[in-house]
Amino acid sequence: MKERGGNPTGMSPAEPALRIFMRRLREIMADPSDGQSRLDKIVHLIAGLMVAEVCSIYLKRQDGSLELFATEGLNPGAVHNTFMKRGEGLVGRCAELAVTINEPDAQSHPAFSYRPETGEEVYHSFLAVPILRGGDVLGVLTVQNKTHKEYLDEDVEVLQTTAMVLAEHLVSGSVAGVNSGAEFSRSVGHVVRGQPLSDGLALGHVVLHEPRVVVTELTSNDPEEEQRRLEAAVEELKSSIDEMLEQGDLASAGEHREVLETYRMFAHDRGWLKRMNDAIRKGMTAQAAVERVQNDTRARMLRQSDAFWRDRLKDLDELSDRLLRILAGRPRSHAMAVQLPHDTILVARAMGPADLLDYDRSKIRGLVIEDSGGSSHVAIVAKALGIAAVGEARGVVERVDQGNPIIVDADSGEVHIRPTGEVIQAYGDKARFRARRQRKYRALRDKPTVSKDGQGIGLHINAGLLMDMPNLAASGAEGVGLFRTELQFMVSATMPRMERQTQMYREIVTEAKGKPVVFRTLDVGGDKALPYLRQPEEENPALGWRAIRLALDRPGLLRTQVRALLRATPGEDLRLLLPMVTTVGEVDMARAMIEREQELLRRRNLAAPKRVLVGAMIEVPSLLFELDSFMPRLDFLSVGSNDLLQYLFAADRNNTRVASRYDPLSVASLRALLTIVEAARRHGRPLSLCGEMAGRPLEAMALLGLGFRTISMAPASIGPVKSMILSLDVEALGSWLVEKVRTAEGNLRAELKRWAETNGVDI
Ligand code: PEP
Ligand code: MG
């Protein structure tokens, strides 16, 4: 602007001009006219301020193309008639790369795309900034002049600030919102596709786990005051991070600590602080400055393909969120502070199991998480609570507002934001259908699980928290086939001591009301991190120091747990299940330790369990080749198919790119399972399977065909699996399937499905 001898407001330098401009912009936004007229007024205002011959706004459409929505200077007839394909021309490039483009001679640029209908051939200099919101590009704002010139930093500043204001109004739908066809508006519907984490279907209203701070005050007359506010907020941010790092509980935590150290590093990053201070000096409020720099960070994130740098930028993004919350005076813990609607759907960028448990669970119907990092734990808790949950729902947080209607379809992984009447109607029907099916399953609850040909099958539930226990009676299952004790440890802020553990296990046994419970000893390490347990950083945590490996190296942990379990079950059968066993030597060591604890109990004259049965999980393929030495050492066995298949196929179960690439119904896995069934038969050992495949009717059918007679699954699966069993001739299936598994190639899913259909099995 200086280049043109002062700005048209007559005020120099740029800061006051920006403030006046902002006031005018606010007036336009508050104007009662419609969205289109507001856009027209905005381009007129910018062109005037910047002495630009052209100012235009392009907005992104659902197909990713850009549409000219308003212009001052180009042919008015081009509005809503000029479209740029994704990445096309300089405007498309600005949107695609989320970068500012400042070209003195746009027409000679190789990316220039000439549109005769606009009449732009006479304009040479070209400045375009992306309209960014939460890492998404919503459109592009441009100015053009006839002369060849490079625009000054101040010009870029004005345009970027306007783009920021525009973005907020665009998503709220106050400009070019409803019916515009624009892709981003928070007043139009949206479908986000993610990964199902916990089965179910939920219709309800959005509660943001950490509500976005909407910056409304953008400019200030008092940069010193804003700088003071920013400084104070940064200090608070730094000390909150230091506090977390100094907490005794956390002192040893591996990954948590690393994340916090990264935070601390960024909080002290002079470049980051300087950029925010620069924005304040140009007339912005502290919040607006944080958001401006955050927008830049997100734009860089968008362009970054290296996972390491993306993660670092994400940390910086989260830090900006925290800083904004401090500036807005928001409390740190939101869960306690909000009044939840009765049909709450929680929407979060990231969430741990403890965060979820902070909420009033009776009001939560669904959960949507953007990030699936660590979501497997929150997924397990969501399953236990019967909450429909979808993970990896990219961009959902930015697209919703508090209280928006939303549907979570955890069958398909779809999340419908602000659904239309028809979608609500369709989902209402689907929900009623599910409810009917649930009623049908409930009616089966007290029916014995006996197949059509008279074979009794044992159905058990998987559990992990006290709150799962009512599911035992509600599902009609025979017992708890897998109690994942680590969950109690994962949701606890400190290591539970022996007395606390004894009390927990006693409560669980009481709640089981005489039905058997298989307690799996701590399966921690790997992706199941305990915040208070020192763990070295590992290149391949799934292949690392976890479960029984960690327990044998750190015997104090296992000893305390076994002691607590022995004391919690006087006069009862105690079933102990060892996770992740790889060699028979590990069984011997664990058994010796358990026997020492039993001996100690006897010497102290304390009440002991009636029997202590020791079992092991079959989760590591090495055991398949040692089953005849392994099985006689144990009282019972349980196949952990989640891990067994991940190791068999070398496919990380938490990595969505590979997790579902290999089919549990392929002959490779069915042969492994058949080998285990035959060995258990040879050695007369009770055998169960407690991985996710047991809960899917077709897979469960295959397991019965292979010879399994006991399986354990999430409580919600008991009904569908029982219904399948009641309609199945197990003997007939077995004689067909075992032969197939021995001789066929590839995948048997399709053939199993056909067999079920031909034989009238309810899958
Ligand atoms: C399994 O691996 O199949 C299993 C049941 O254990 P988890 O899912 O807890 O690893
Ligand atoms: Mg496992």
Side-chain angles (χ1 to χ4, degrees):
M1 282 174 277
K2 277 183 219 140
E3 196 185 53
R4 292 179 293 279
N7 62 56
T9 61
M11 300 183 75
S12 189
E15 293 98 298
L18 184 63
R19 269 203 294 280
I20 289 172
F21 172 69
M22 282 300 157
R23 202 183 59 233
R24 300 257 303 270
L25 199 55
R26 266 204 303 277
E27 284 163 10
I28 294 176
M29 293 307 184
D31 192 296
S33 55
D34 63 15
Q36 183 67 47
S37 330
R38 288 197 192 123
L39 287 183
D40 295 342
K41 286 179 188 161
I42 293 169
V43 285
H44 181 73
L45 177 69
I46 302 171
L49 174 79
M50 295 182 64
V51 199
E53 281 125 359
V54 175
C55 175
S56 311
I57 295 173
Y58 295 82
L59 298 181
K60 206 182 213 176
R61 301 187 55 85
Q62 284 187 340
D63 62 1
S65 65
L66 290 158
E67 174 180 342
L68 179 63
F69 258 71
T71 187
E72 170 80 14
L74 295 183
N75 264 335
V79 173
H80 300 302
N81 285 317
T82 294
F83 299 91
M84 311 296 278
K85 286 205 266 321
R86 188 184 284 259
E88 184 190 355
L90 290 173
V91 172
R93 195 181 171 88
C94 168
E96 201 59 16
L97 303 174
V99 287
T100 295
I101 294 184
N102 188 351
E103 277 298 326
D105 188 7
Q107 299 189 24
S108 58
H109 192 284
F112 182 76
S113 168
Y114 174 57
R115 290 309 174 86
E117 74 274 14
T118 61
E120 66 181 333
E121 60 274 19
V122 291
Y123 305 108
H124 290 279
S125 45
F126 174 91
L127 173 63
V129 299
I131 304 172
L132 287 164
R133 177 75 227 186
D136 285 332
V137 176
L138 313 183
V140 174
L141 182 58
T142 66
V143 288
Q144 288 169 274
N145 280 79
K146 283 183 182 154
T147 51
H148 293 73
K149 65 175 182 121
E150 191 163 330
Y151 292 91
L152 299 177
D153 286 350
E154 286 89 332
D155 299 322
V156 176
E157 189 66 39
V158 168
L159 218 54
Q160 282 179 343
T161 309
T162 316
M164 216 167 113
V165 180
L166 254 178
E168 193 49 49
H169 287 273
L170 283 167
V171 290
S172 72
S174 60
V175 288
V178 195
N179 303 329
S180 69
E183 197 269 333
F184 40 77
S185 171
R186 267 198 232 122
S187 63
V188 297
H190 240 302
V191 182
V192 175
R193 284 183 181 78
Q195 294 287 331
L197 297 181
S198 159
D199 258 9
L201 178 66
L203 288 85
H205 290 89
V206 169
V207 171
L208 281 161
H209 174 49
E210 292 201 309
R212 219 169 35 88
V213 174
V214 178
V215 181
T216 45
E217 286 300 310
L218 289 161
T219 55
S220 155
N221 289 324
D222 191 350
E224 280 83 27
E225 169 59 16
E226 293 304 317
Q227 236 144 11
R228 261 194 304 277
R229 288 184 60 231
L230 180 68
E231 254 167 50
V234 170
E235 279 315 308
E236 192 179 328
L237 179 73
K238 283 186 199 164
S239 54
S240 71
I241 297 168
D242 289 345
E243 224 173 82
M244 284 190 257
L245 272 163
E246 278 153 20
Q247 263 172 25
D249 292 347
L250 224 117
S252 51
E255 207 183 332
H256 292 69
R257 192 174 184 91
E258 197 190 308
V259 169
L260 287 174
E261 288 287 8
T262 313
Y263 271 16
R264 174 141 78 179
M265 194 180 85
F266 280 131
H268 287 82
D269 177 344
R270 293 206 182 167
W272 186 51
L273 300 175
K274 181 177 175 305
R275 287 198 299 280
M276 289 189 285
N277 274 315
D278 284 351
I280 288 178
R281 266 197 299 280
K282 284 174 182 155
M284 288 190 179
T285 58
Q287 303 91 292
V290 175
E291 184 164 309
R292 152 62 61 81
V293 174
Q294 187 176 24
N295 273 342
D296 294 346
T297 309
R298 286 173 168 172
R300 278 192 285 155
M301 211 146 79
L302 212 66
R303 295 191 293 273
Q304 190 53 255
S305 55
D306 183 310
F308 175 81
W309 286 112
R310 274 188 78 94
D311 281 350
R312 298 288 83 77
L313 288 167
K314 205 155 83 190
D315 290 340
L316 196 51
D317 189 40
E318 277 175 23
L319 211 56
S320 304
D321 274 345
R322 275 168 186 263
L323 198 51
L324 275 178
R325 278 201 297 279
I326 294 174
L327 283 164
R330 288 265 172 88
R332 271 196 222 161
S333 174
H334 178 60
M336 312 299 179
V338 288
Q339 275 286 347
L340 298 178
H342 70 281
D343 56 357
T344 295
I345 309 272
L346 280 176
V347 176
R349 269 192 214 288
M351 190 187 250
D355 295 331
L356 178 56
L357 291 171
D358 271 351
Y359 284 92
D360 174 355
R361 308 193 273 282
S362 65
K363 304 227 166 100
I364 299 176
R365 290 205 183 158
L367 173 65
V368 184
I369 311 179
E370 278 204 0
D371 219 32
S372 56
S375 65
S376 52
H377 307 140
V378 80
I380 290 171
V381 174
K383 266 189 207 162
L385 295 172
I387 296 173
V390 168
E392 295 217 10
R394 302 276 169 226
V396 71
V397 170
E398 280 306 324
R399 288 187 163 88
V400 297
D401 268 329
Q402 209 76 276
N404 277 172
I406 187 168
I407 295 173
V408 181
D409 180 349
D411 290 341
S412 66
E414 276 178 9
V415 178
H416 294 259
I417 300 165
R418 294 174 294 273
T420 58
E422 293 86 45
V423 175
I424 294 176
Q425 170 91 38
Y427 270 96
D429 291 347
K430 198 168 167 184
R432 275 186 289 282
F433 175 72
R434 280 181 74 98
R436 262 203 307 281
R437 241 184 16 200
Q438 291 304 332
R439 276 200 296 279
K440 176 184 129 187
Y441 296 144
R442 263 200 302 279
L444 298 180
R445 191 185 62 186
D446 300 321
K447 255 189 144 157
T449 314
V450 178
S451 69
K452 234 167 69 179
D453 58 326
Q455 308 240 17
I457 308 293
L459 296 187
H460 295 246
I461 60 163
N462 295 345
L465 295 167
L466 188 60
M467 67 193 176
D468 295 337
M469 295 310 287
N471 291 327
L472 188 51
S475 65
E478 279 180 24
V480 178
L482 169 68
F483 191 90
R484 293 177 161 108
T485 58
E486 64 274 8
L487 287 193
Q488 301 268 10
F489 285 70
M490 280 159 64
V491 298
S492 171
T494 53
M495 174 77 84
R497 294 179 189 282
M498 204 228 351
E499 293 70 26
R500 170 87 193 96
Q501 289 190 46
T502 311
Q503 185 199 340
M504 276 176 345
Y505 302 138
R506 202 168 276 154
E507 281 168 355
I508 285 152
V509 173
T510 309
E511 285 292 311
K513 300 190 175 74
K515 290 185 175 178
V517 180
V518 175
F519 286 99
R520 181 170 72 185
T521 60
L522 272 183
D523 184 7
V524 292
D527 67 324
K528 293 177 185 168
L530 300 184
Y532 41 82
L533 183 73
R534 189 190 295 273
Q535 275 250 245
E537 196 172 316
E538 296 185 304
E539 192 99 347
N540 291 303
L543 305 179
W545 194 49
R546 48 174 296 201
I548 193 84
R549 302 168 182 185
L550 189 148
L552 292 173
D553 291 351
R554 288 268 188 84
L557 253 182
L558 182 61
R559 212 183 293 134
T560 309
Q561 189 180 30
V562 169
R563 209 169 279 179
L565 282 161
L566 288 168
R567 286 169 192 220
T569 49
E572 316 250 352
D573 279 346
L574 170 61
R575 293 176 174 79
L576 289 174
L577 181 63
L578 307 170
M580 272 281 289
V581 175
T582 311
T583 67
V584 292
E586 288 168 343
V587 176
D588 295 342
M589 279 193 274
R591 277 209 94 124
M593 180 215 270
I594 295 164
E595 275 156 26
R596 272 199 302 279
E597 286 305 315
Q598 285 179 271
E599 178 56 34
L600 201 72
L601 210 64
R602 268 195 294 278
R603 266 196 270 139
R604 290 193 182 156
N605 275 330
L606 292 170
K610 190 163 68 188
R611 283 189 305 171
V612 177
L613 303 170
V614 181
M617 302 277 290
I618 302 184
E619 298 181 288
V620 183
S622 65
L623 287 181
L624 296 179
F625 307 97
E626 224 180 344
L627 288 171
D628 290 329
S629 349
F630 182 65
M631 290 207 173
R633 290 172 147 86
L634 293 152
D635 301 308
F636 65 97
L637 297 136
S638 187
V639 179
S641 55
N642 302 339
D643 278 320
L644 182 64
L645 298 182
Q646 109 161 315
Y647 297 130
L648 197 63
F649 291 115
D652 182 350
R653 62 193 265 194
N654 291 322
N655 180 343
T656 45
R657 282 206 188 90
V658 296
S660 50
R661 205 175 179 112
Y662 304 96
D663 197 327
L665 296 182
S666 60
V667 291
S669 65
L670 294 175
R671 268 180 210 157
L673 295 170
L674 183 60
T675 309
I676 298 169
V677 171
E678 288 169 343
R681 235 182 248 145
R682 267 200 309 282
H683 295 282
R685 290 295 184 271
L687 174 70
S688 169
L689 183 144
C690 57
E692 297 301 310
M693 71 181 289
R696 295 192 281 266
L698 185 67
E699 277 84 339
M701 183 189 94
L703 292 174
L704 302 183
L706 292 176
F708 282 89
R709 291 296 174 263
T710 303
I711 44 180
S712 190
M713 63 204 76
S717 297
I718 295 279
V721 170
K722 193 188 244 187
S723 176
M724 177 275 292
I725 294 171
L726 298 181
S727 59
L728 174 70
D729 183 336
V730 179
E731 195 62 46
L733 169 68
S735 34
W736 171 77
L737 181 64
V738 171
E739 184 55 23
K740 268 269 162 223
V741 169
R742 287 196 217 283
T743 53
E745 280 183 0
N747 190 329
L748 294 183
R749 178 172 295 277
E751 283 191 68
L752 276 159
K753 217 166 167 181
R754 228 174 297 128
W755 192 94
E757 278 157 14
T758 332
N759 291 278
V761 184
D762 179 19
I763 49 162

